[in-house]
Amino acid sequence: MFCINKRKFFKLLPKSEKGMEEMCGIIGKVGEENVIPQLINGLKKLEYRGYDSAGVAFVEDDIINRVRAVGKISELKKKLSQEVIESRVGIGHTRWATHGSPTEENAHPHRSKNGMFYIVHNGIIENSEEIKKNLLPYNLDFESGTDTEVFAHLLEKYYDGEPVSAIAKAQAVLKGSYAFGLICKDYPDVIFGAASGSPLVVVKGENGFYIASDSGAIDEKTVEKYSVSCGEICKITSSAAEFFDPSGKAIKKQREDSQNSEDSFEKEGYAHFMLKEISEQPRAVKDTLDSLISLGGVWLPHVNIDEDFFSEILEKIVIVACGSAYHTGLVAKHIIEKLTGVPCAVEIASEFRYSHPFIDEKTLAIFVSQSGETADTLACLRLAKHCGAQIISIVNVRGSAIAKESDNVIFTKAGREIAVATTKAYSAQLAAFYALSIFIGREKGKLSEEQEEKYIEELSLLPQKIKETLETVNENAKKFAQKICKWDKVFFMGRLTDYATACEGSLKLKEISYINAQSYASGELKHGTISLVEEGTPMIAVLGESKIFSKTLSNICEVESRGAQVIVITDIAKENLLSGNRTVISVPDTLSEFRQSLLVLPLQLISYYTALLRGCDIDQPKNLAKSVTVE
Ligand code: AGP
């Protein structure tokens, strides 16, 4: 049934949920001692939200100063180290540019004309041009090309000595999504904040109060935590936090679970977070499976769907995600269809949200996201809910928007992932899909108890097999990286689930090494792409699907006879594949349903070592951000 309410649903959404959002990180602290070190550490941890430019504004002797720099936090740190700063009140920002190029003028904090307000902003003001035209003096000189600056001027316009009421009046004219942090010259011991549609938390640390886009950015033990949303306003001093509704009326807020995350922000001796996270995969997969399998059966603690739904109602499954998370869906589709007998479609969220999705109350819609904040995936989740589908989300970050808005969640236990290129979260998502497929297969009556036992037994061996694979393929991956690092293009191929892994391998390689890497379903090569193959062209073939082994092997021979140097990533006996110049990287054997968890590992390592040889910024590749909260 076509979901006819979709248009109506879009009309009902606040504009911020339809439009773009700037992906930035903000932090602010009022303490008893110098806050600059905590602002810098916090910004460093928020760099996953963008790293085009950064800045801080702080109060010293009742005067507000500002330091900004283009590039990463390290550039800002260099600038700040040239001055001796002692400040107990400061706000900071790290930016992923959407409005205005990544220059120092466009870096936050922005200020109002007379310097009464300094503000940092995460989000987007969709009607900034309208506000400029209709509400601000026509001859106002803007210092930047950002949408944020209009808010600073609006605050000054509405300010009559009371910042909370100025914020309330200013935000009443905004369209868009925002989380603001701001300092007012008349209140040098206070930070104010407001948020709607973008995350903002207030945290009481052991040594003062913070505002931040993510509580993980805060260096101290969390004593109390509150979320600010839906136009609420907050006011923090070194010893107290107050909250107000969007009109500026004082409200009481409920404290949230303030458990500190034990996830490390350190590289712990590894050269890069990506390498550390690759090596953490056995643990990530084990923890994920342990949380979903108990007493020999799959148990999904945060899924509450009536048994009847699976046995009587379920007709169709749709998986929606972006990037690597989408690739886990491509793998899962084949396993789900095999184990449950239910047709499964996999959709790219940014496409799906504007297509004509056939989803209804007989559909199970699965949303996959490491960050739980990906704008397109979140929008599709809301759409599917509106259409009456049952929802299960596979999410790594607890407390994220997708986790909060999903009726049913499977939490992956990858732990905090810092490298922009996902590895351990990817593996944990695959593990979650295995458990979910078995669960639905059993509920649907398609899988017997014996089959379930067989799968669970093999899953218990998977973490160790991942460890073994990482150890045994490492040297080969380094060698192969040397071969491909000088090439501008690399191709990947595979069929069925091998194709899904080929897609993930090529995304990983292009993302961090900037090599143009493309993946193809093997059978498609001779429908066009083979014309690009030249003497020496690197071609990585993923070959695990034994039922179509001979087909993919023929495709390998076809490209080899046109000069390609082929590397085969396989769990099939090496003797059947060695020939000529071909390189074969073998991974251990497992059940066919789970093999992509092993086949993907050499591809992660090849990408890592290739990027290393090319001198790329592996953990923070150019133009990217870890969490994609813009449409
Ligand atoms: C993968 O290495 C990427 N950085 C990217 O494709 C990512 O998987 C995608 O943006 C989806 O993110 P999410 O899992 O946080 O929703």
Side-chain angles (χ1 to χ4, degrees):
M1 184 181 88
F2 176 56
C3 174
I4 46 163
N5 287 329
K6 188 178 160 199
R7 284 183 68 76
K8 197 169 131 208
F9 170 69
F10 271 102
K11 278 193 194 143
L12 291 172
L13 280 177
K15 242 192 153 201
S16 60
E17 287 158 9
K18 295 182 236 170
M20 296 196 310
E21 184 185 326
E22 185 145 313
M23 314 187 311
C24 303
I26 65 176
I27 185 163
K29 180 176 184 189
V30 190
E32 297 293 351
E33 288 164 9
N34 189 15
V35 297
I36 301 296
Q38 276 115 16
L39 292 186
I40 293 300
N41 287 347
L43 288 177
K44 193 92 203 92
K45 290 174 183 172
L46 289 171
E47 259 185 335
Y48 75 89
R49 302 180 73 89
Y51 37 81
D52 287 336
S53 66
V56 288
F58 48 90
V59 183
E60 247 186 336
D61 301 327
D62 290 352
I63 293 169
I64 307 176
N65 290 316
R66 166 174 77 169
V67 178
R68 300 178 295 173
V70 172
K72 296 189 182 175
I73 309 303
S74 49
E75 298 304 315
L76 176 68
K77 201 172 166 185
K78 265 189 230 155
K79 265 193 160 177
L80 285 165
S81 65
Q82 289 157 15
E83 302 174 33
V84 183
I85 304 168
E86 264 302 310
S87 169
R88 294 186 309 101
V89 180
I91 51 177
H93 187 271
T94 181
R95 177 169 189 247
W96 191 85
T98 56
H99 272 62
S101 51
T103 59
E104 189 166 323
E105 294 72 50
N106 289 335
H108 299 218
H110 292 289
R111 63 182 175 198
S112 59
K113 187 164 183 299
N114 298 324
M116 179 58 74
F117 293 97
Y118 280 70
I119 70 171
V120 287
H121 169 219
N122 166 37
I124 190 161
I125 301 172
E126 289 172 358
N127 59 339
S128 59
E129 287 307 316
E130 222 173 292
I131 293 173
K132 273 187 194 173
K133 221 162 54 201
N134 301 333
L135 292 171
L136 297 173
Y138 77 95
N139 56 353
L140 192 65
D141 275 339
F142 283 85
E143 290 185 332
S144 73
T146 67
D147 53 332
T148 304
E149 200 185 330
V150 298
F151 190 69
H153 298 303
L154 272 183
L155 288 172
E156 203 162 271
K157 172 183 163 99
Y158 294 124
Y159 183 59
D160 58 3
E162 180 36 74
V164 170
S165 94
I167 295 170
K169 284 179 191 149
Q171 71 174 355
V173 301
L174 294 190
K175 285 186 186 150
S177 72
Y178 54 83
F180 289 109
L182 58 102
I183 312 178
C184 173
K185 202 162 83 181
D186 287 346
Y187 294 78
D189 299 324
V190 184
I191 290 175
F192 299 90
S196 173
S198 297
L200 186 71
V201 290
V202 168
V203 167
K204 179 182 181 182
E206 289 170 309
N207 207 356
F209 270 85
Y210 291 84
I211 54 162
S213 305
D214 172 353
S215 56
I218 291 161
D219 243 359
E220 296 171 32
K221 188 169 181 301
T222 301
V223 181
E224 289 171 23
K225 179 177 151 189
Y226 307 86
S227 287
V228 181
S229 59
C230 303
E232 288 168 348
I233 299 165
C234 62
K235 173 181 174 183
I236 58 167
T237 63
S238 64
S239 58
E242 290 173 64
F243 299 93
F244 307 87
D245 73 8
S247 71
K249 198 168 130 239
I251 50 167
K252 262 198 120 36
K253 281 218 56 117
Q254 206 59 22
R255 266 164 74 163
E256 289 179 8
D257 176 14
S258 58
Q259 219 180 16
N260 282 298
S261 158
E262 287 175 9
D263 294 336
S264 168
F265 273 99
E266 306 301 324
K267 289 190 200 132
E268 291 166 7
Y270 287 90
H272 296 94
F273 281 110
M274 184 179 176
L275 192 59
K276 174 179 174 254
E277 288 158 6
I278 287 174
S279 77
E280 286 172 346
Q281 291 179 105
R283 201 266 314 135
V285 169
K286 182 171 185 318
D287 287 356
T288 303
L289 291 172
D290 283 353
S291 69
L292 305 175
I293 293 171
S294 154
L295 301 172
V298 174
W299 177 73
L300 306 177
H302 303 282
V303 173
N304 263 316
I305 300 177
D306 280 352
E307 279 172 24
D308 286 3
F309 173 76
F310 293 107
S311 54
E312 315 274 331
I313 301 168
L314 177 61
E315 279 184 357
K316 176 188 172 183
I317 296 174
V318 57
I319 300 172
V320 186
C322 300
S324 292
Y326 167 75
H327 297 152
T328 65
L330 291 181
V331 176
K333 168 192 163 68
H334 297 277
I335 303 163
I336 288 177
E337 287 180 343
K338 181 171 173 190
L339 270 57
T340 71
V342 181
C344 177
V346 192
E347 305 280 353
I348 294 170
S350 55
E351 294 284 303
F352 186 70
R353 66 185 288 189
Y354 296 115
S355 65
H356 301 280
F358 287 80
I359 38 179
D360 58 19
E361 44 301 313
K362 292 178 185 158
T363 309
L364 172 66
I366 304 172
F367 299 90
V368 195
S369 176
Q370 185 287 128
S371 62
E373 299 289 349
T374 301
D376 286 316
T377 310
L378 180 58
C380 294
L381 160 67
R382 290 171 179 159
L383 174 63
K385 265 177 106 168
H386 181 74
C387 293
Q390 286 286 358
I391 308 289
I392 298 182
S393 293
I394 298 177
V395 181
N396 197 42
V397 178
R398 275 179 178 260
S400 58
I402 293 177
K404 278 186 188 157
E405 293 194 28
S406 300
D407 303 326
N408 304 288
V409 188
I410 297 177
F411 288 107
T412 48
K413 303 278 177 180
R416 187 175 284 272
E417 195 177 59
I418 293 175
V420 165
T422 181
T423 51
K424 62 175 179 173
Y426 183 87
S427 288
Q429 284 162 358
L430 285 182
F433 265 126
Y434 301 152
L436 180 59
S437 313
I438 297 169
F439 178 83
I440 303 172
R442 285 288 286 145
E443 296 286 315
K444 198 77 195 133
K446 185 91 196 324
L447 271 193
S448 67
E449 209 176 318
E450 293 70 46
Q451 284 169 310
E452 180 180 31
E453 267 168 29
K454 186 186 79 176
Y455 283 129
I456 287 178
E457 201 185 318
E458 186 61 23
L459 280 178
S460 71
L461 305 176
L462 195 59
Q464 180 55 29
K465 289 188 178 178
I466 291 176
K467 187 165 182 282
E468 243 172 71
T469 309
L470 289 172
E471 284 161 8
T472 53
V473 303
N474 194 45
E475 285 311 307
N476 270 334
K478 271 188 202 165
K479 273 191 219 145
F480 193 71
Q482 262 160 359
K483 283 195 191 175
I484 63 171
C485 69
K486 295 197 178 67
W487 284 84
D488 292 334
K489 62 175 186 221
V490 172
F491 295 116
F492 289 72
M493 67 160 148
R495 283 171 191 254
L496 306 175
T497 58
D498 293 341
Y499 169 63
T501 299
C503 291
E504 175 58 9
S506 71
L507 175 63
K508 212 93 297 174
L509 185 65
K510 75 184 108 180
E511 184 177 21
I512 60 168
S513 75
Y514 315 143
I515 292 176
N516 187 354
Q518 298 301 331
S519 46
Y520 296 93
S522 309
E524 277 294 289
L525 287 169
K526 40 183 178 294
H527 295 283
T529 310
I530 204 161
S531 67
L532 295 170
V533 173
E534 309 167 289
E535 200 52 46
T537 303
M539 174 75 73
I540 299 182
V542 183
L543 184 39
E545 289 280 358
S546 41
K547 67 176 180 199
I548 36 79
F549 168 78
S550 59
K551 306 285 172 201
T552 302
L553 192 55
S554 310
N555 300 134
I556 290 174
C557 296
E558 285 158 13
V559 293
E560 277 176 340
S561 55
R562 283 153 183 90
Q565 51 165 331
V566 174
I567 172 175
V568 187
I569 314 286
T570 187
D571 59 358
I572 289 163
K574 221 173 178 169
E575 312 74 79
N576 300 330
L577 285 161
L578 282 173
S579 144
N581 283 337
R582 204 180 286 161
T583 307
V584 178
I585 295 186
S586 299
V587 304
D589 201 22
T590 179
L591 289 178
S592 60
E593 288 80 357
F594 310 143
R595 60 158 61 105
Q596 298 307 331
S597 284
L598 304 179
L599 290 168
V600 74
L601 304 171
L603 302 182
Q604 296 172 344
L605 286 166
I606 288 170
S607 304
Y608 174 78
Y609 288 119
T610 306
L612 194 66
L613 288 167
R614 287 167 69 93
C616 299
D617 189 342
I618 293 179
D619 287 335
Q620 293 179 329
K622 68 172 159 38
N623 303 338
L624 289 171
K626 180 74 180 160
S627 172
V628 183
T629 54
V630 291
E631 187 181 347

